[in-house]
Amino acid sequence: MTEPREIAERLLDAQVEFLLAEVSGDRFTEVVARDVAAVLEVADTIVFRDVVSIEQAEETVATVIDLIGGSPVIADMVGVFADAIYDNIAANHDYTLGQVVEREPVEALLEKIFAMHQAQERILDRLTESPLVATVASKFVDKLINDFMQANRERAEKIPGVSSLMSLGQSAANRAKKVAADNTFIGDMAGKGALFALRRTNNAIREMLRDAPVHGAAMEFWDLHADEPVSGLRDYLTQKDLRELVLICYEIAITTREKEYFGLLVDECVQVFFSKYGDYTLGAMLPELGLTAEDISTEILRYGPAVIESAKKNGVFAGLIRERLEPFYLSDEVLGILGGAGS
C-alpha cells in the first residue's frame, strides 16, 4: 500500500508541473487574460479610500520621491542622458521644430505669459528694491544715450568747426563724472539717478508688454525656426552647456526635495487627489489613468514570458513553486487525510 508521504510528493510534483504549464506557451496568454479580468472584477468592488488612507499615501509618495528621485541610477544617468540627447536626438535633420511642437499651444503659452500683468507688475516692483539692479538699469540707459551721442557726433564731425565744440563738451562731461566719483553728495544723486533710470526702464517694459506687438514678434521668431531641422537648436548651446544646465536643474530638484516645505506640497497634492478620487473603486481608477485590462495584459505579456522562460531553464522557477507548496502537501493535516483515504 502506498504511503501517504509518497502520495503527497507525487501530488506536489503534479501541481508543480501543472503550474509550470500554466505559464508556458500560448497557455500563458490565456492565464494572464483570465487572471487580469478576475483581479479587475475584484477591484470593482473595492473603494480606494477604504483600503488606502491619506497618511499611507503621503508616506508612499514621500518614499518614492526620496528613494527613486535621489537614487544613484538617476544621479549617474542625468549627465549621460543630456549627452545622448545632444549627440543623437538633437542632431536629427529629418524633423523640423514645427513638426515636433505644435504652433497653437506655443502661441497660447506666449499669449498667457504676456497677459500676466499682475506677475509682471510684481516682478518690476521688486526689481526697484535692488540697488544692483538699479545700477545695471542706469548703465543700460547710459549706454543707450552714449551710443546715441556717438552716432550724432559722427554725423556732426562731418560739419566744419563742429568737431572742436564736441571735444569741448566731452571734456566737460568727463570732468563732471570725476567730480561725481569724488563727491558723496553727487554720489547720492547718482544713486537716485540710477533708481530713476530703473523706474524709467520698468515703465518702458510695461508699455512694451502691454501696447507693443510683442506677442506677434515672438510668434514671428517662432515661425522663423519652425521650419528648421531640430538639429538647428544646437546652434544655441554647446554640449557642455546642455550637460551643465541639466545637472544644475537636477541639483535644484534634489535639494528642493529635501526641504520640509516640499513635503507640505506633496501632502497637499495627495489630499487633493483623495478629494477627487477617494470614492472611486480601484477598477474605476484605471480608465482615469488611461489604462484598460488589455493594456495591463499586454505589458505583462511583453516581459513575462522571457523572464519566466529564463527562470525555468535553470530550475529556479520550479524550485520556488515547490518551496511554496511543499509545506502544505507534507503537513500533518494533508498526510492524515491521505492516510485516511488510503485506509
Side-chain angles (χ1 to χ4, degrees):
M1 182 174 130
T2 306
E3 293 293 329
R5 184 178 182 88
E6 182 182 347
I7 296 173
E9 289 177 345
R10 287 169 60 186
L11 287 173
L12 175 59
D13 291 340
Q15 185 161 14
V16 170
E17 291 300 319
F18 173 79
L19 292 177
L20 288 174
E22 287 277 274
V23 294
S24 301
D26 295 337
R27 178 61 183 154
F28 185 50
T29 302
E30 298 173 8
V31 170
V32 169
R34 179 199 67 193
D35 291 349
V36 168
V39 170
L40 294 182
E41 186 176 347
V42 174
D44 277 331
T45 67
I46 301 175
V47 177
F48 184 66
R49 70 167 71 251
D50 290 344
V51 294
V52 180
S53 68
I54 292 180
E55 292 75 18
Q56 289 174 325
E58 289 174 347
E59 291 176 3
T60 298
V61 173
T63 300
V64 170
I65 292 174
D66 183 53
L67 297 181
I68 297 180
S71 68
V73 172
I74 300 296
D76 291 341
M77 295 304 295
V78 166
V80 177
F81 285 149
D83 290 342
I85 290 173
Y86 193 92
D87 288 336
N88 302 313
I89 306 301
N92 191 285
H93 299 282
D94 299 327
Y95 297 93
T96 65
L97 186 59
Q99 290 174 323
V100 177
V101 182
E102 295 288 337
R103 188 181 194 277
E104 288 74 14
V106 173
E107 185 172 16
L109 174 63
L110 292 174
E111 186 173 354
K112 179 60 181 177
I113 292 174
F114 292 129
M116 294 170 63
H117 300 309
Q118 179 178 342
Q120 296 163 9
E121 291 289 339
R122 183 58 176 161
I123 292 172
L124 293 173
D125 288 342
R126 292 307 299 266
L127 285 175
T128 60
E129 300 173 13
S130 170
L132 182 58
V133 174
T135 301
V136 172
S138 177
K139 291 183 177 181
F140 174 70
V141 173
D142 286 346
K143 176 65 175 173
L144 292 178
I145 294 174
N146 289 338
D147 288 348
F148 176 77
M149 293 295 294
Q150 179 64 29
N152 284 324
R153 177 190 304 160
E154 291 174 356
R155 295 190 187 95
E157 286 178 345
K158 297 177 181 179
I159 304 174
V162 175
S163 178
S164 57
L165 291 175
M166 295 294 291
S167 298
L168 180 63
Q170 184 63 47
S171 177
N174 291 337
R175 285 197 300 271
K177 288 183 179 179
K178 184 177 185 306
V179 172
D182 299 334
N183 189 295
T184 302
F185 173 74
I186 295 179
D188 292 340
M189 293 298 292
K192 293 179 180 179
L195 182 59
F196 175 76
L198 176 58
R199 288 172 177 166
R200 294 288 295 176
T201 303
N202 286 351
N203 288 335
I205 293 174
R206 286 189 180 94
E207 293 175 6
M208 179 186 70
L209 292 175
R210 295 197 176 193
D211 301 328
V214 180
H215 178 264
M219 288 310 303
E220 189 172 282
F221 177 80
W222 167 262
D223 290 335
L224 287 174
H225 292 76
D227 293 331
E228 295 182 359
V230 174
S231 58
L233 295 174
R234 301 203 301 179
D235 294 338
Y236 288 92
L237 73 171
T238 65
Q239 184 181 57
K240 182 173 179 290
D241 291 333
L242 177 61
R243 183 185 181 89
E244 291 178 350
L245 282 172
V246 170
L247 290 174
I248 290 171
C249 291
Y250 174 73
E251 183 64 23
I252 292 174
I254 290 298
T255 54
T256 302
R257 178 203 57 166
E258 298 169 353
K259 301 296 187 295
E260 181 181 355
Y261 183 71
F262 183 77
L264 297 177
L265 293 177
V266 172
D267 291 347
E268 181 63 22
C269 291
V270 171
Q271 292 177 28
V272 170
F273 181 87
F274 263 79
S275 297
K276 183 172 178 60
Y277 296 107
D279 294 324
Y280 279 59
T281 66
L282 296 180
M285 287 284 293
L286 291 179
E288 296 297 318
L289 297 172
L291 293 173
T292 65
E294 184 179 356
D295 295 328
I296 297 174
S297 297
T298 298
E299 293 307 313
I300 294 175
L301 293 172
R302 190 189 308 277
Y303 305 103
V307 173
I308 291 173
E309 288 302 319
S310 178
K312 284 169 60 179
K313 287 179 181 178
N314 53 24
V316 171
F317 196 37
L320 288 173
I321 296 175
R322 182 177 296 278
E323 185 180 295
R324 299 300 186 274
L325 296 178
E326 189 172 53
F328 169 75
Y329 280 101
L330 299 184
S331 65
D332 292 340
E333 184 178 1
V334 172
L335 292 177
I337 293 172
L338 294 174
S343 62

